[in-house]
Amino acid sequence: MTATDLAFNSAMTQAHLIRTGQLSPLDLVQTYLDRIQQYDSQLGSFVSVCADPAIADAKAKTDWLTTADPATLPPFFGVPIPIKDLHAVAGLPCSLGVAALKETIAAYDEGGVSRIKQAGFIILGKTATSELGSFPYTEPPGFAPTRNPWHLDYTAGGSSGGAAAAVAAGLCPVAQGSDGGGSIRGPAHCCGLVGIKPSRGRITHAPLGDYLSGITIQGPLARTVADAAALLDVLSGYTLGDPYWLPDPEPSFLTQAQRALEMPIAPLRIGVSTTIPPIGEADPACQQAVRSVAAHLEAMGHYVEEGCPDFTAMIDPFIQVWQTGVVAAGVPVAALSPVNQWLFDQANARSAADYLQAVGQLQVAARQIVAFFSTVDVLVLPVFRHPQIRVGEWADLAPEAVFERIVNWVSPCPPWNATGQPAIALPTGLGANGLPTGVQLVGRPAAEATLIALAAQLEALHYPPQHPPAFVGTGGSGEDAGPRSPH
């Protein structure tokens, strides 16, 4: 097996190889550190690489394997993973995508990070995020922009853009991200990955409190549905004092994905739409991905019909709640980019009463949207309304114009942050421009298992994982080819 083959193996395969003594954690970590050193100067997917701590952890785990009973090992013992730079890892930098905070060192592990460590993962470093997680592209001032492994001129998405670029390019097997308005699903879509935004309450915010009235949540990015499901199992669970929570799935999400490959799913009622009311129709390439999936679902025996909720009532209150995050971050406004400064001013001009009224309006609108799912089990939508933008494409626009473009581009994603429903981004191949295409499947509240099973079947039957050619080597010698901008 070449180093490239190993790098693009699934996280579950890597864990199995380690557990059975065919691979050491040290060799695996070194494989990824070598690839990061070789490729990341072109991608900008990592903002910090903790090579020494990762190697030390890998050596300790490699030594532990000489006496450990494999049956007692946690599920991802010795497998590397990075953490998005919006989330705290004790002893590592946590800049929030703000250049002025590059030297800030976190003093604690967030709850999701603790679960990742308990599962046996080795932390590789921190992946790039947009400034304060505000944008659907990852180009924070003072950092290198994060580029798409399929074409370096294009964005990897945001705000979990670094995580998506790293997984797609084989710089890690899976990654942790977070989603407050499409920040997992968008990068997954841009880079040809599976990304899951879980249901509200599925993953703890501990030791922090609720943030932005529950619209944000952590989740997995992976190259396969099974790996994403397995990482979701790791991240899930209640922590004492959480303001809302869901019971652990029974059986596990990974088991649901595996079972879906062995037996057909009972016919589901599937809603399909290429229009996002009231924003408008998606680009033809995005429409085609939805139509392709709808045809496959109908051929699989599901009942497919046109339909989508109207999101008009949730747009303004969602924007008000979301903008408040720029102020709540506590970063001096002078340290922020012009668009975040503009968002800061927009939010700061409103009162606490305005915020609470917006939260109430958002909850009312969310109930109306969830009611749509009394007649369907799953809704298939575009992830974004048009394909990936180029790096820096909106850099010279006024803040108001940038924000208008953002709202229009990402409009299929935020409604499900408002309702707290689960959604999964699934790649559907490559478009005419050579960049990934995809859809999102939205489920009923707490129904991740249905989405995962359906996505696993679609993946197995029609959409096997694909890797960007510039990062999979020459195929014969085991040597890695350098990254390039394909045209």
Coordinates of all heavy atoms in Angstrom, one line a residue, residues 50 53 57 61 81-94 105-126 176 203-209 218 235 239 242:
C50 N 0.1 20.7 15.0 CA 0.7 20.4 16.2 C 1.5 19.1 16.0 O 1.2 18.0 16.6 CB -0.2 20.3 17.4 SG -1.7 19.2 17.1
P53 N 3.2 17.4 19.5 CA 2.2 16.7 20.3 C 1.6 15.5 19.6 O 1.3 14.4 20.3 CB 1.2 17.7 20.7 CG 1.9 19.0 20.5 CD 2.9 18.8 19.3
D57 N 1.9 11.7 21.0 CA 0.6 10.9 21.3 C 0.7 9.6 20.5 O 0.3 8.5 21.0 CB -0.6 11.7 20.9 CG -1.9 11.1 21.4 OD1 -1.9 10.1 22.1 OD2 -3.0 11.7 21.1
K61 N 0.7 5.8 21.9 CA -0.4 4.8 21.5 C 0.3 3.6 20.8 O -0.2 2.4 21.0 CB -1.4 5.5 20.6 CG -2.4 6.4 21.3 CD -3.4 7.0 20.4 CE -4.6 7.6 21.2 NZ -4.2 8.7 22.0
I81 N -7.0 13.3 13.4 CA -8.1 14.2 13.1 C -7.8 15.6 13.4 O -7.1 15.9 14.4 CB -9.4 13.8 13.9 CG1 -10.7 14.5 13.4 CG2 -9.2 14.0 15.4 CD1 -12.0 14.0 14.0
P82 N -8.2 16.6 12.6 CA -8.0 18.0 13.0 C -9.3 18.6 13.6 O -10.4 18.0 13.4 CB -7.7 18.7 11.7 CG -8.5 17.9 10.7 CD -8.6 16.5 11.2
I83 N -9.2 19.7 14.3 CA -10.3 20.4 14.9 C -10.4 21.8 14.3 O -9.4 22.5 14.1 CB -10.1 20.6 16.4 CG1 -9.8 19.2 17.1 CG2 -11.3 21.3 17.1 CD1 -11.0 18.2 16.9
K84 N -11.6 22.2 14.0 CA -11.8 23.6 13.4 C -11.4 24.7 14.4 O -11.6 24.5 15.6 CB -13.3 23.7 13.0 CG -13.7 25.0 12.4 CD -15.2 25.0 12.1 CE -15.7 26.3 11.5 NZ -17.2 26.2 11.3
D85 N -10.8 25.7 13.9 CA -10.2 26.8 14.7 C -11.3 27.7 15.4 O -10.9 28.7 15.9 CB -9.2 27.6 13.9 CG -8.2 28.3 14.8 OD1 -7.9 27.7 15.9 OD2 -7.7 29.4 14.5
L86 N -12.5 27.4 15.3 CA -13.5 28.0 16.1 C -13.7 27.3 17.5 O -14.4 27.8 18.3 CB -14.9 28.0 15.4 CG -15.1 29.0 14.3 CD1 -16.6 28.9 13.8 CD2 -14.8 30.5 14.8
H87 N -13.1 26.1 17.6 CA -13.3 25.3 18.8 C -12.1 25.0 19.6 O -11.0 24.8 19.0 CB -14.0 24.0 18.3 CG -15.3 24.2 17.6 ND1 -16.5 24.4 18.3 CD2 -15.5 24.4 16.3 CE1 -17.4 24.6 17.4 NE2 -16.9 24.6 16.2
A88 N -12.2 25.1 20.9 CA -11.1 25.0 21.8 C -10.5 23.6 22.0 O -11.3 22.7 22.3 CB -11.5 25.6 23.2
V89 N -9.2 23.5 21.9 CA -8.4 22.4 22.3 C -7.4 22.8 23.3 O -6.6 23.7 23.0 CB -7.8 21.7 21.1 CG1 -7.0 20.4 21.5 CG2 -8.8 21.4 20.0
A90 N -7.4 22.3 24.5 CA -6.5 22.7 25.5 C -5.0 22.7 25.0 O -4.6 21.7 24.5 CB -6.6 21.9 26.8
G91 N -4.4 23.8 25.2 CA -2.9 23.9 24.8 C -2.7 24.3 23.4 O -1.5 24.5 23.0
L92 N -3.7 24.4 22.6 CA -3.5 24.7 21.2 C -4.1 26.1 20.9 O -5.0 26.6 21.6 CB -4.2 23.7 20.2 CG -3.7 22.3 20.3 CD1 -4.4 21.4 19.2 CD2 -2.2 22.2 20.1
P93 N -3.6 26.8 19.8 CA -4.1 28.1 19.4 C -5.6 28.0 19.1 O -6.1 27.0 18.6 CB -3.3 28.5 18.2 CG -2.0 27.7 18.3 CD -2.4 26.4 18.9
C94 N -6.3 29.1 19.3 CA -7.7 29.2 18.9 C -8.0 30.6 18.5 O -8.3 31.5 19.4 CB -8.6 28.7 20.1 SG -10.4 28.5 19.6
I105 N -4.1 30.9 23.2 CA -4.0 29.5 23.5 C -5.2 29.1 24.4 O -5.5 29.7 25.4 CB -2.7 29.1 24.2 CG1 -1.5 29.6 23.4 CG2 -2.6 27.6 24.5 CD1 -1.4 28.9 22.1
A106 N -5.9 28.1 24.0 CA -7.1 27.6 24.7 C -6.7 26.9 26.0 O -5.7 26.2 26.0 CB -7.9 26.7 23.8
A107 N -7.5 27.1 27.0 CA -7.2 26.5 28.3 C -8.0 25.3 28.6 O -7.9 24.7 29.7 CB -7.4 27.6 29.4
Y108 N -8.9 24.9 27.7 CA -9.8 23.8 28.0 C -10.2 23.1 26.7 O -10.0 23.7 25.6 CB -11.1 24.3 28.7 CG -11.9 25.2 27.8 CD1 -12.9 24.8 27.0 CD2 -11.7 26.6 27.8 CE1 -13.7 25.6 26.2 CE2 -12.4 27.5 27.0 CZ -13.4 27.0 26.2 OH -14.1 27.8 25.4
D109 N -10.7 21.9 26.8 CA -11.3 21.2 25.6 C -12.8 21.4 25.6 O -13.5 21.3 26.6 CB -11.1 19.7 25.7 CG -9.6 19.3 25.5 OD1 -8.9 20.1 24.8 OD2 -9.2 18.2 26.0
E110 N -13.3 21.7 24.4 CA -14.8 21.7 24.3 C -15.3 20.3 24.4 O -14.6 19.3 24.2 CB -15.2 22.4 23.0 CG -15.0 23.9 22.9 CD -15.7 24.5 21.8 OE1 -16.6 23.9 21.2 OE2 -15.3 25.7 21.4
G111 N -16.6 20.2 24.7 CA -17.2 18.9 24.9 C -17.0 17.9 23.7 O -16.7 16.7 23.9
G112 N -17.2 18.4 22.5 CA -17.0 17.6 21.3 C -15.5 17.1 21.2 O -15.3 16.0 20.8
V113 N -14.6 18.0 21.5 CA -13.2 17.7 21.5 C -12.9 16.6 22.5 O -12.1 15.6 22.2 CB -12.3 18.9 21.7 CG1 -10.8 18.5 21.8 CG2 -12.5 19.9 20.5
S114 N -13.5 16.7 23.7 CA -13.3 15.7 24.7 C -13.7 14.3 24.2 O -13.1 13.3 24.4 CB -14.0 16.1 26.0 OG -13.5 17.2 26.6
R115 N -14.9 14.3 23.5 CA -15.4 13.0 23.0 C -14.5 12.4 21.9 O -14.2 11.2 21.8 CB -16.8 13.2 22.5 CG -17.8 13.5 23.6 CD -19.2 13.6 23.1 NE -20.1 14.1 24.1 CZ -20.6 13.4 25.1 NH1 -20.4 12.1 25.2 NH2 -21.4 14.0 26.0
I116 N -13.9 13.3 21.1 CA -13.0 12.9 20.1 C -11.7 12.3 20.7 O -11.2 11.2 20.3 CB -12.6 14.1 19.2 CG1 -13.8 14.4 18.2 CG2 -11.3 13.9 18.4 CD1 -13.6 15.7 17.5
K117 N -11.2 12.9 21.8 CA -10.0 12.3 22.4 C -10.4 11.0 23.1 O -9.6 10.0 23.0 CB -9.5 13.3 23.5 CG -8.8 14.5 22.9 CD -8.3 15.4 23.9 CE -7.5 16.6 23.4 NZ -6.9 17.5 24.4
Q118 N -11.6 10.9 23.7 CA -12.0 9.7 24.4 C -12.1 8.5 23.4 O -11.9 7.4 23.7 CB -13.3 9.9 25.1 CG -13.1 10.8 26.3 CD -14.5 11.3 26.8 OE1 -15.6 10.9 26.3 NE2 -14.5 12.3 27.7
A119 N -12.4 8.9 22.1 CA -12.6 7.8 21.1 C -11.2 7.4 20.6 O -11.2 6.5 19.7 CB -13.4 8.4 19.9
G120 N -10.1 7.9 21.0 CA -8.8 7.5 20.7 C -8.1 8.2 19.5 O -7.0 7.9 19.1
F121 N -8.8 9.3 19.0 CA -8.2 10.0 17.9 C -7.0 10.8 18.4 O -6.8 11.1 19.6 CB -9.2 11.1 17.4 CG -10.3 10.6 16.5 CD1 -11.6 10.4 16.9 CD2 -9.9 10.3 15.2 CE1 -12.6 10.0 16.0 CE2 -10.9 9.8 14.3 CZ -12.2 9.7 14.7
I122 N -6.1 11.1 17.5 CA -4.9 11.9 17.7 C -5.1 13.3 17.0 O -5.4 13.3 15.8 CB -3.6 11.2 17.2 CG1 -3.4 9.9 17.9 CG2 -2.4 12.2 17.2 CD1 -2.3 9.1 17.3
I123 N -5.0 14.4 17.7 CA -5.3 15.7 17.2 C -4.1 16.1 16.3 O -2.9 16.2 16.8 CB -5.5 16.7 18.3 CG1 -6.6 16.3 19.3 CG2 -5.8 18.1 17.7 CD1 -8.0 16.1 18.6
L124 N -4.3 16.4 15.1 CA -3.3 16.8 14.1 C -3.0 18.3 14.2 O -1.9 18.8 13.9 CB -3.7 16.5 12.7 CG -3.4 15.1 12.2 CD1 -3.9 15.0 10.7 CD2 -1.9 14.8 12.2
G125 N -4.0 19.1 14.5 CA -3.9 20.5 14.5 C -5.2 21.2 14.3 O -6.3 20.6 14.5
K126 N -5.2 22.5 13.9 CA -6.4 23.3 13.8 C -6.6 23.7 12.3 O -5.7 24.1 11.7 CB -6.4 24.6 14.7 CG -6.1 24.3 16.1 CD -7.2 23.6 16.8 CE -8.5 24.4 17.0 NZ -8.4 25.5 17.9
Q176 N -13.6 17.4 12.2 CA -14.7 18.0 12.9 C -14.9 19.4 12.4 O -14.0 20.1 12.0 CB -14.2 18.1 14.4 CG -15.2 18.9 15.3 CD -14.8 20.3 15.4 OE1 -13.8 20.8 14.8 NE2 -15.5 21.1 16.3
I203 N -25.4 17.1 19.9 CA -24.0 17.2 20.4 C -23.9 18.4 21.4 O -24.5 19.5 21.2 CB -23.1 17.5 19.2 CG1 -23.1 16.3 18.2 CG2 -21.7 17.8 19.6 CD1 -22.5 16.5 16.9
T204 N -23.2 18.2 22.4 CA -23.1 19.1 23.5 C -22.3 20.4 23.1 O -21.4 20.3 22.3 CB -22.4 18.5 24.7 OG1 -22.4 19.4 25.8 CG2 -21.0 18.0 24.4
H205 N -22.7 21.5 23.7 CA -21.9 22.7 23.6 C -20.9 22.9 24.8 O -20.2 23.9 24.9 CB -22.8 24.0 23.6 CG -23.5 24.2 22.3 ND1 -22.9 24.7 21.2 CD2 -24.7 23.8 21.8 CE1 -23.7 24.8 20.1 NE2 -24.9 24.2 20.5
A206 N -21.0 21.9 25.8 CA -20.2 22.1 27.0 C -18.7 22.3 26.7 O -18.2 21.8 25.7 CB -20.3 20.8 27.8
P207 N -18.0 23.0 27.6 CA -18.5 23.7 28.8 C -19.1 25.0 28.6 O -19.4 25.8 29.5 CB -17.2 23.8 29.6 CG -16.2 24.1 28.6 CD -16.5 23.2 27.4
L208 N -19.3 25.4 27.3 CA -20.0 26.7 27.0 C -21.5 26.6 27.1 O -22.0 25.5 27.1 CB -19.6 27.1 25.5 CG -18.0 27.1 25.3 CD1 -17.8 27.5 23.8 CD2 -17.3 28.1 26.2
G209 N -22.1 27.7 27.1 CA -23.6 27.7 27.1 C -24.1 27.7 25.7 O -23.4 27.6 24.7
Q218 N -21.9 21.3 16.2 CA -20.8 20.6 15.6 C -21.2 19.4 14.8 O -22.4 19.0 14.9 CB -19.8 20.2 16.7 CG -19.1 21.3 17.4 CD -18.1 20.8 18.5 OE1 -17.3 20.0 18.1 NE2 -18.3 21.2 19.7
L235 N -19.2 12.0 18.4 CA -19.5 13.4 18.9 C -20.8 13.5 19.7 O -21.0 14.4 20.5 CB -19.7 14.3 17.7 CG -18.4 14.7 16.9 CD1 -18.7 15.3 15.6 CD2 -17.5 15.6 17.8
T239 N -24.2 16.1 27.9 CA -23.4 16.4 29.0 C -24.2 17.1 30.1 O -25.1 17.9 29.8 CB -22.2 17.4 28.5 OG1 -21.4 16.7 27.6 CG2 -21.4 17.9 29.7
D242 N -26.7 20.4 29.9 CA -27.0 20.9 28.6 C -28.4 21.4 28.5 O -29.3 20.8 29.1 CB -26.9 19.8 27.5 CG -25.4 19.5 27.2 OD1 -24.6 20.3 27.5 OD2 -25.1 18.4 26.6

